[in-house]
Amino acid sequence: MSKKSKVHILILGSGGREHALGFKLKQSKRCGKLYFAPGNGGTAALGTNLPDLPFDPVNTKHADAIDYFCRHNNISLVVIGPEDPLCGGLVDRLAAPDRHVFGPVQTGARLEADKVFSKQLMRATSVPTADSKTFTDYEAAVNYVENRETPVVVKAAGLAKGKGVIVCSTNEQALDALKLCMVDLAFGEAGQTVIVEERLGGQEVSILALVDGRNIFVLDPTQDHKPVGEEDTGPNTGGMGAYCPTPLVDDALMTTIEREVLVPIVDAMRRDGTEFKGVLYAGLMLTAGGPKVLEFNTRFGDPECQPLMMRLKGDLIDIMIATCQGTLGEVNLSWIPRCCCCVVMASGGYPGKYETGKPITGIEDAEADPDVKVFHAGTKLTNGGTLVTAGGRVLSICAMGDDLKQAQQKANAACEKIHFDGAFYRTDIGFRVM
Ligand code: AMP
Ligand code: GLY
């Protein structure tokens, strides 16, 4: 593929993350046809949505059909947004000459898929993380928890759609959590093995890095807001908002995180035969004793991706291809020196039960401010062309500002202009540093 030829792209996924990646890829002069499978109501305006494929485009079981689609549409860059297909090995299955597939191979995605493996690797490489013990035997886990005097976190070892982590304040809660995972099998197989770890205190940050197998380019630090309610109250969600950059991580701390967390993991993977390529995302707690890893993800975070794409300078096609090719050192990558605040508008009831099919209005009005961009997540266009809600997290409203306060104000003002039945959002994204 010459540097001049157009790159036809397939983005797999349907969230705000995938819309933001498409928005940024589309800005490249090299962007040819852009497909989203399945996509959402917003991605349809950037490229071609493929909502009605006779197979599931984010399921590794259907890799042959996805490969066939790519061959027949001359796709030379496939971007995989969500974790399930990465952990299932879709990158391995789609490998082909003349095609770049952005994301780690299955043995790399294991860092996210298997928390026991991830803990073992951290221990082996002295990466700072919470003390923990792994259990496959329920009685043994109960016995361990009953004899502990400090609070714990109970984690299902496998993938549980972001729900398999239960932060406990008392031993009773921890015992309930063990029962939920190991006896009731609330997270299926993912919870048959659990990790019980010390509960850490401090500020949480998300550090995402592009990794090309060897080179690491750390992206500006972000902070996600997982609890559903203002001031981090209520149950955890996929993320109710994020901002970038966060002042919680200065250059010195960033260097420490790169040296003590990212480099050892990437090097250890390579030694063990895996060239990790794609995004390595460390969820960190900034404790009094320094940063400690809560989890690794092997993809862009949602909503962290949205403010990152708003601030990223440079050609994302070049950046992604360089990541796949191992030439990350050769690309230009820098940041717009402003702050971005991203506020998620959700359906009433989320993260519990919610209704869908509610008409959405006001997006154009919100985007009248050139600092505002609305990314879609749970939206779709009806046959009649009406934009309606189709999920729990509906929209990610991003606003740029000269500082976090201005960015937050602009994002909140934009949210006020957007309406759908039952809509709600947090007005305090960034409060922990304001
Ligand atoms: P995870 O999916 O592992 O990032 O966990 C989800 C959320 O649970 C994190 O964002 C934290 O808020 C919380 N959490 C996870 N592990 C711990 C821990 N060891 N101590 C305190 N909170 C934790
Ligand atoms: N925002 C957290 C995640 O994507 O896992």
Side-chain angles (χ1 to χ4, degrees):
M1 194 192 320
S2 98
K3 257 219 134 185
K4 289 214 178 87
S5 55
K6 290 279 183 198
V7 178
H8 302 315
I9 304 171
L10 172 64
I11 299 180
L12 302 181
S14 62
R17 165 181 56 204
E18 287 76 18
H19 190 184
L21 291 172
F23 158 81
K24 191 66 201 162
L25 287 164
K26 179 86 183 179
Q27 289 174 3
S28 166
K29 284 196 195 76
R30 297 170 73 195
C31 185
K33 289 204 179 107
L34 183 57
Y35 296 95
F36 295 87
N40 62 41
T43 59
L46 279 178
T48 306
N49 273 359
L50 302 166
D52 299 317
L53 293 169
F55 55 86
D56 179 356
V58 288
N59 188 331
T60 308
K61 286 198 184 115
H62 298 158
D64 288 341
I66 303 165
D67 176 62
Y68 182 86
F69 176 89
C70 292
R71 276 188 281 126
H72 282 259
N73 292 282
N74 296 317
I75 301 294
S76 47
L77 175 62
V78 182
V79 179
I80 303 176
E83 60 272 25
D84 279 329
L86 292 171
C87 297
L90 189 56
V91 171
D92 315 55
R93 294 284 304 275
L94 293 183
D98 285 342
R99 186 191 299 158
H100 300 292
V101 187
F102 184 85
V105 292
Q106 189 169 24
T107 49
R110 199 171 167 208
L111 265 182
E112 172 161 5
D114 180 355
K115 288 190 196 293
V116 176
F117 167 76
S118 157
K119 276 282 183 193
Q120 279 166 349
L121 195 62
M122 284 190 263
R123 221 163 274 143
T125 51
S126 304
V127 168
T129 182
D131 283 336
S132 68
K133 248 177 124 61
T134 301
F135 296 94
T136 48
D137 179 52
Y138 175 63
E139 297 302 329
V142 166
N143 187 37
Y144 177 74
V145 162
E146 277 175 340
N147 290 301
R148 281 204 51 123
E149 280 167 15
T150 48
V152 296
V153 179
V154 174
K155 299 186 171 184
L159 283 184
K161 308 223 173 299
K163 293 187 181 132
V165 174
I166 304 159
V167 180
C168 308
S169 300
T170 62
N171 281 0
E172 286 66 43
Q173 286 174 358
L175 292 172
D176 286 348
L178 288 177
K179 181 166 173 292
L180 193 71
C181 290
M182 302 182 88
V183 181
D184 304 342
L185 297 179
F187 311 111
E189 248 178 62
Q192 278 176 336
T193 301
V194 297
I195 292 172
V196 180
E197 72 177 31
E198 66 171 323
R199 180 172 167 179
L200 300 172
Q203 294 254 17
E204 268 184 76
V205 293
S206 305
I207 302 298
L208 283 73
L210 294 167
V211 181
D212 71 358
R214 190 175 287 270
N215 300 297
I216 297 176
F217 189 96
V218 189
L219 305 180
D220 268 3
T222 59
Q223 189 173 45
D224 183 15
H225 294 58
K226 287 198 175 118
V228 72
E230 302 270 319
E231 292 186 21
D232 285 348
T233 51
N236 267 354
T237 68
M240 292 298 292
Y243 66 93
C244 174
T246 174
L248 291 168
V249 184
D250 60 15
D251 289 349
L253 183 54
M254 201 60 135
T255 304
T256 304
I257 293 168
E258 181 168 1
R259 207 177 44 221
E260 292 183 6
V261 175
L262 303 173
V263 171
I265 294 292
V266 172
D267 285 353
M269 286 230 142
R270 200 173 57 244
R271 269 197 308 276
D272 294 343
T274 296
E275 292 255 285
F276 188 99
K277 294 180 175 182
V279 174
L280 179 57
Y281 163 148
L284 298 165
M285 189 75 90
L286 304 181
T287 73
K292 293 194 177 178
V293 176
L294 299 178
E295 64 163 347
F296 284 115
N297 294 319
T298 59
R299 51 175 172 81
F300 281 106
D302 188 339
E304 291 95 325
C305 183
Q306 290 85 311
L308 283 168
M309 291 305 120
M310 290 287 285
R311 295 190 54 245
L312 182 65
K313 280 204 240 176
D315 184 315
L316 188 57
I317 292 184
D318 289 348
I319 293 168
M320 285 188 157
I321 291 180
T323 305
C324 298
Q325 280 179 330
T327 53
L328 203 44
E330 293 168 20
V331 296
N332 289 321
L333 207 153
S334 59
W335 302 98
I336 297 172
R338 300 183 78 198
C339 190
C340 181
C341 180
C342 168
V343 177
V344 170
M345 286 184 88
S347 297
Y350 175 80
K353 277 207 174 81
Y354 54 83
E355 291 176 9
T356 58
K358 312 287 183 195
I360 305 168
T361 58
I363 292 178
E364 262 182 44
D365 197 12
E367 287 186 331
D369 179 342
D371 280 332
V372 172
K373 174 74 199 159
V374 178
F375 294 116
H376 293 228
T379 75
K380 69 170 189 190
L381 290 165
T382 63
N383 289 339
T386 308
L387 185 72
V388 299
T389 65
R393 290 193 291 174
V394 177
L395 299 167
S396 301
I397 288 79
C398 288
M400 300 284 270
D402 297 331
D403 54 27
L404 178 57
K405 189 157 179 252
Q406 190 190 41
Q408 189 206 60
Q409 278 167 352
K410 277 176 175 277
N412 288 345
C415 290
E416 277 176 35
K417 295 178 184 160
I418 299 175
H419 300 281
F420 54 89
D421 234 24
F424 78 95
Y425 56 95
R426 283 181 58 168
T427 61
D428 66 341
I429 301 307
F431 79 101
R432 285 184 178 275
V433 295
M434 281 164 83

